[in-house]
Structures are given as C-alpha cells and as structure tokens.
Amino acid sequence: MRLSTCRSLWSARPALLRRGLAAKAGKASSAAEAKPLAEAVGSISQPSDRPATDYPSWLSNLTEPGKTLGELKRTPAEQRSNHDDMRLLKLSSRAAIKSINFSKAKGI
C-alpha cells in the first residue's frame, strides 16, 4: 500500500478513534450488564396528583396555542394587545429568517 493511500485512510477515520475515545474491542457493553430503567431511577420520587386548585391560574394557559401570524396580521393594530404585538414581531422575524435560510439553501 502506498503512503499517500495510508494517509488518506487515516484522515478519513473519525476523530474519536484518533483520540482513543472509541470503545475498545474487548470492552463492548452488553445488555446483560445494563440496569433496568426502573432500578436506575428508583430513587426518584414520583410526582403526586394534586388538585387543580393547588396550581396558579396562569399554568393552564401554557397549553393553549397562541394566535398565528396570519391572525395577528389580519387584526388591526388598535385592537392588538402588547402581548399580541410582541408575538407578531417574534413570528415575523422567524418567518423572515426561514425565508432567508431557504433561499440560501436553494441558491436563489
């Protein structure tokens, strides 16, 4: 084998192998050595079911979807709250970034 071929093969190996971080041949872990999940996290206590009155009122609002970009654009500026204005700004910025990234990826 030529020296240049050896060098190209070496450079193609993953960095982990060169650093010695890959698994050794005789040290492969087996499924028999692994602990069951319940045993591994057995010391963690399970959360208790508490009544809804124990939680703050705003917590239930976190699961509700917010207004979409189209809905916010259709709403007149006088009728939007500060929260809606901030959401409009955030969603508009995301849409602009996605558009720019798409055009860069397609080479447009």
Side-chain angles (χ1 to χ4, degrees):
M1 189 180 278
R2 292 183 0 204
L3 183 60
S4 61
T5 307
C6 292
R7 285 184 182 154
S8 63
L9 288 175
W10 176 256
S11 63
R13 294 179 70 190
L16 290 177
L17 289 176
R18 280 184 261 153
R19 293 185 188 135
L21 299 176
K24 305 294 186 244
K27 302 271 184 167
S29 63
S30 65
E33 296 174 5
K35 292 181 183 179
L37 182 61
E39 185 180 324
V41 292
S43 61
I44 299 174
S45 63
Q46 295 296 325
S48 61
D49 291 332
R50 294 169 49 184
T53 56
D54 288 349
Y55 298 103
S57 61
W58 57 265
L59 193 61
S60 61
N61 296 338
L62 294 178
T63 57
E64 297 174 4
K67 293 181 181 178
T68 63
L69 180 60
E71 291 172 348
L72 291 170
K73 284 183 176 179
R74 286 191 298 269
T75 306
E78 300 83 30
Q79 295 179 359
R80 286 193 306 253
S81 65
N82 288 340
H83 183 303
D84 288 344
D85 284 337
M86 293 298 290
R87 182 161 173 81
L88 176 64
L89 180 64
K90 178 175 77 171
L91 294 177
S92 299
S93 297
R94 282 187 186 172
I97 290 170
K98 285 181 182 181
S99 174
I100 291 168
N101 288 343
F102 178 78
S103 63
K104 284 181 180 179
K106 292 294 180 179
I108 298 174

